[in-house]
Amino acid sequence: MDLGFRGAVVDFYHRYRRGYPPAAIDKLVAAFGLTTDDVVVDLGCGTGQLSLPVARRVRSVVAVDPEPDMLVRARSAAREQDVANVSWMLGSDADIPALGAVLGDRALGAVTIGQALHWMDHEQLFQDLAPLIRPGGGVAVLANGTPLWQQDTAWSYALRDCMEQWLDTKLGRTCGTDEASQLRYGDSLTAAGYDVSATTVDYTDELSTDQIIGGVYSALPVDRLPAPEQREPFAERLRDALQPHQPFTEEVRVSILVGRVPTCE
């Protein structure tokens, strides 16, 4: 599966994609009663924004992504952060049955999906995962805030207008962060037999212009990323559009949709 998140995009992704606050990791651990005996699969791991903090709380993490360049950078990040209990695996949601064969009798504590489910066949995925997870464990779908260009602020409107002019297309995708997508995912988890609940972590962040520009670059597939000689002109257009709307305050809501495998009573 080639989603276009390779090459130069990977460095932008690693540097500018926001991580998850400790409170979100705490809620994830509590939701499934994760311990240092548990193995967790992080599906669509990117460069490890979720894999690495979760790994510090469990026995090990199997981090899966369809982009080899993402995995190379994630492995480097793990070394830089002295996290040694993550296995990096090339694959996608379609490979879950094969992963089950590799795991054998070992039941997973949880499967995490951090803002990547919109690339997957979620209905089939939830069904495929259920037999691999221990009772009380489950699936966590995390939405790490709203895309920078889809927020209800003056600077976000200006950003979206500038991006649409440059890319010559309307930007309507919410990457699964909208309420309708969350409801659809929750219904699919329920249909697959999970007990479903939801929780959130809210915080406020102040962004710099460079963080916004880097965040935009991190979200563009390589075929839409401005060529190296075009990046500074594009960045200058974004700076001009954003400048009147400082400060760039972002209200971030981390949504955690939990599907728990029922325990036997």
Side-chain angles (χ1 to χ4, degrees):
M1 181 188 297
D2 182 4
L3 303 179
F5 292 98
R6 59 183 186 276
V9 176
V10 173
D11 287 334
F12 290 118
Y13 192 102
H14 177 70
R15 182 175 179 183
Y16 293 106
R17 282 295 176 103
R18 69 170 71 91
Y20 292 83
I25 306 302
D26 290 343
K27 290 196 173 188
L28 186 62
V29 169
F32 303 120
L34 295 176
T35 73
T36 52
D37 287 330
D38 278 309
V39 175
V40 171
V41 168
D42 184 26
L43 191 55
C45 65
T47 57
Q49 281 82 354
L50 186 56
S51 309
L52 298 181
V54 170
R56 297 184 186 279
R57 309 287 293 273
V58 299
R59 180 184 182 89
S60 63
V61 170
V62 179
V64 183
D65 201 274
E67 297 288 358
D69 289 354
M70 287 285 189
L71 295 175
V72 170
R73 188 62 187 87
R75 189 177 289 111
S76 295
R79 288 196 297 267
E80 292 161 5
Q81 297 181 36
D82 197 26
V83 177
N85 60 333
V86 182
S87 300
W88 306 98
M89 181 175 294
L90 184 67
S92 71
D93 54 305
D95 297 304
I96 289 301
L99 178 60
V102 172
L103 291 169
D105 295 333
R106 179 85 197 197
L108 297 171
V111 175
T112 58
I113 308 165
Q115 205 131 325
L117 191 59
H118 54 291
W119 298 114
M120 305 177 191
D121 180 351
H122 64 276
E123 293 181 350
Q124 185 63 52
L125 174 63
F126 295 156
Q127 294 176 30
D128 290 344
L129 288 174
L132 308 182
I133 301 171
R134 64 163 170 77
V139 178
V141 180
L142 292 90
N144 198 7
T146 304
L148 294 170
W149 55 90
Q150 295 287 2
Q151 301 182 23
D152 188 19
T153 61
W155 66 261
S156 182
Y157 296 142
L159 175 64
R160 182 164 68 249
D161 288 345
C162 190
M163 289 176 63
E164 288 179 342
Q165 291 175 29
W166 182 275
L167 297 171
D168 192 27
T169 188
K170 289 292 183 182
L171 300 176
R173 298 190 66 180
T174 60
C175 304
T177 62
D178 59 289
E179 184 177 354
S181 293
Q182 294 293 303
L183 289 172
R184 186 170 68 254
Y185 299 154
D187 288 345
S188 294
L189 283 167
T190 299
Y194 300 86
D195 294 332
V196 178
S197 61
T199 187
T200 60
V201 174
D202 297 317
Y203 66 96
T204 301
D205 198 12
E206 295 289 337
L207 301 176
S208 68
T209 307
D210 286 345
Q211 285 175 314
I212 294 174
I213 295 169
V216 168
Y217 286 164
S218 79
L220 294 176
V222 70
D223 63 339
R224 301 304 301 273
L225 187 70
E229 68 274 10
Q230 295 178 316
R231 285 176 202 161
E232 186 51 39
F234 179 47
E236 197 58 38
R237 286 181 61 167
L238 290 179
R239 291 188 188 98
D240 290 344
L242 290 167
Q243 195 278 331
H245 305 291
Q246 299 185 66
F248 309 124
T249 302
E250 182 180 20
E251 301 295 336
V252 182
R253 166 159 289 183
V254 181
S255 300
I256 307 172
L257 182 63
V258 172
R260 191 177 293 103
V261 174
T263 55
C264 297
E265 297 182 356

